Amino acid sequence: HNATIAMSDDNREESPFANIGKDDSAFSHVPEHGFSLFLANRSKTIHFVRHAEGTHNEANTAYGDDTPCTFSTPGSWRYMDARLTDKGIDQCVQVRRSQLKGVKPELIIVSPFTRTLQTAHIIFGGSHVPFMVHHLCQERYGLFTCDKKRTKTEIVADMAPVYAATGDTINFDSFGYPTEDDQMWKETREPDDDCTGRGIAMMQWLATRPENEIAVVTHSSWLKHLFRAFGETIHQKDKATLHKLAANAEVRSITLACHKGFYPPGEWVGDTDVFIPEHVSFRKGKWACTDDQIAEKHKLVRKGNE
């Protein structure tokens, strides 16, 4: 699968590549050379983190398969939107203490499930980095009760105070929960192609972000479908590393190289090089307000008092 993942230039006002379009090439690749050449500002680092052990993982391991969490199994609904076990909490603490060398995300994206929200907070909480919930990286839905979310209201009621206790900001609303109830979950498993498609869409969304280093806290089946969409032609050892099933609380880092220009929803200001993203969370870094824009807003404040 050769999915094209794209982003825009890092410094649009100074770079000669400011207005690169979706059909313009932004990399150099000659197959016989064995490498591709990108400008550094057309790549970013993504740290994928699978959630730590949940009560559903504990039950399935003890039983030997997924029967305890299958919706038709008596008592299976106790695992709906499973929380972390004590072992899972300890796994996160160990990652926080010893496995984050060189991992310095500017933004942490989190699947909307409780176990991923717990994992993200234990590993990255208190670091003064913003958290954002996004539905595209939620687990493959259907069949298993652990992969059905509680209502948004219930999850936010549990988790918002936890994040607030460490002074962390988390955006539950912009991209996290399209509906109050989990309307995606069904008694049949999400089709493979649909799950892979959500993974590709998530990567394309990440490519539009202004941050250069991002963590994504997500799930094993979602990661499996995403990673196995890539790497069929790479060296066998690299392929094995990329395609292996992620362990609980595992951190796996990749480089996202962006071949073509891509922009989030937004608009250009006249014929200038100024691009204003529609969603305010994008308006920083390469898309931060210009000096003139900031000054103009303050002039309006004065005018409002005249």
Side-chain angles (χ1 to χ4, degrees):
H1 185 109
N2 294 318
T4 297
I5 301 172
M7 69 176 290
S8 68
D9 193 79
D10 239 10
N11 191 331
R12 293 178 25 280
E13 292 188 311
E14 298 178 3
S15 171
F17 304 104
N19 295 320
I20 186 169
K22 294 180 179 180
D23 297 322
D24 297 322
S25 180
F27 73 110
S28 177
H29 175 66
V30 181
E32 57 267 29
H33 291 170
F35 63 85
S36 296
L37 191 152
F38 291 80
L39 289 174
N41 60 10
R42 296 207 185 280
S43 65
K44 59 180 66 184
T45 300
I46 311 295
H47 305 288
F48 289 104
V49 184
R50 183 194 172 191
H51 66 78
E53 183 188 75
T55 55
H56 64 306
N57 298 131
E58 180 182 53
N60 289 343
T61 298
Y63 191 87
D65 62 28
D66 295 325
T67 298
C69 296
T70 302
F71 78 93
S72 57
T73 301
S76 63
W77 286 102
R78 74 183 70 174
Y79 302 112
M80 178 179 172
D81 191 25
R83 283 62 147 190
L84 296 186
T85 62
D86 287 346
K87 177 181 176 181
I89 293 170
D90 289 342
Q91 289 172 336
C92 294
V93 171
Q94 290 306 310
V95 172
R96 181 185 178 99
R97 288 176 175 172
S98 62
Q99 298 181 36
L100 294 182
K101 184 177 181 180
V103 177
K104 298 179 180 179
E106 305 160 63
L107 175 68
I108 299 151
I109 301 299
V110 193
S111 158
F113 281 86
T114 301
R115 58 188 181 271
T116 42
L117 288 162
Q118 288 182 282
T119 298
H121 182 261
I122 298 170
I123 292 177
F124 296 108
S127 59
H128 307 293
V129 176
F131 294 77
M132 181 178 289
V133 183
H134 206 302
H135 69 94
L136 282 176
C137 64
Q138 75 172 52
E139 182 59 301
R140 186 183 182 195
Y141 64 76
L143 184 61
F144 303 123
T145 59
C146 54
D147 298 333
K148 181 176 175 63
K149 299 186 297 293
R150 294 179 293 158
T151 66
K152 175 187 177 182
T153 298
E154 291 172 317
I155 294 173
V156 172
D158 280 351
M159 297 308 303
V162 173
Y163 279 77
T166 50
D168 289 297
T169 60
I170 178 166
N171 181 340
F172 290 100
D173 298 325
S174 295
F175 305 102
Y177 302 88
T179 57
E180 168 68 11
D181 299 317
D182 189 347
Q183 297 181 11
M184 293 179 66
W185 192 90
K186 301 176 182 178
E187 293 183 356
T188 56
R189 204 68 168 139
E190 179 183 16
D192 289 318
D193 287 347
D194 289 1
C195 187
T196 300
R198 282 198 295 112
I200 299 301
M202 181 82 258
M203 297 302 287
Q204 291 173 326
W205 184 87
L206 291 171
T208 70
R209 292 295 309 181
E211 299 85 5
N212 292 319
E213 187 169 349
I214 301 172
V216 179
V217 184
T218 182
H219 307 261
S220 61
S221 187
W222 185 89
L223 284 170
K224 179 184 75 173
H225 282 75
L226 173 64
F227 288 148
R228 294 184 184 181
F230 298 87
E232 287 298 328
T233 60
I234 63 176
H235 190 280
Q236 184 59 38
K237 288 185 177 180
D238 286 351
K239 177 180 176 180
T241 299
L242 182 66
H243 287 187
K244 71 178 180 180
L245 195 66
N248 285 126
E250 178 183 339
V251 181
R252 191 177 303 178
S253 303
I254 61 100
T255 296
L256 174 59
C258 305
H259 295 187
K260 298 176 184 291
F262 192 86
Y263 298 87
E267 61 181 12
W268 295 97
V269 178
D271 295 327
T272 71
D273 258 353
V274 178
F275 179 76
I276 303 178
E278 182 178 297
H279 194 271
V280 68
S281 73
F282 289 81
R283 297 176 194 169
K284 56 185 175 180
K286 60 190 173 186
W287 290 320
C289 288
T290 65
D291 295 345
D292 289 342
Q293 287 176 305
I294 294 172
E296 186 60 31
K297 290 183 182 300
H298 286 272
K299 291 177 183 178
L300 292 174
V301 172
R302 185 196 67 208
K303 291 179 180 179
N305 194 43
E306 291 177 350

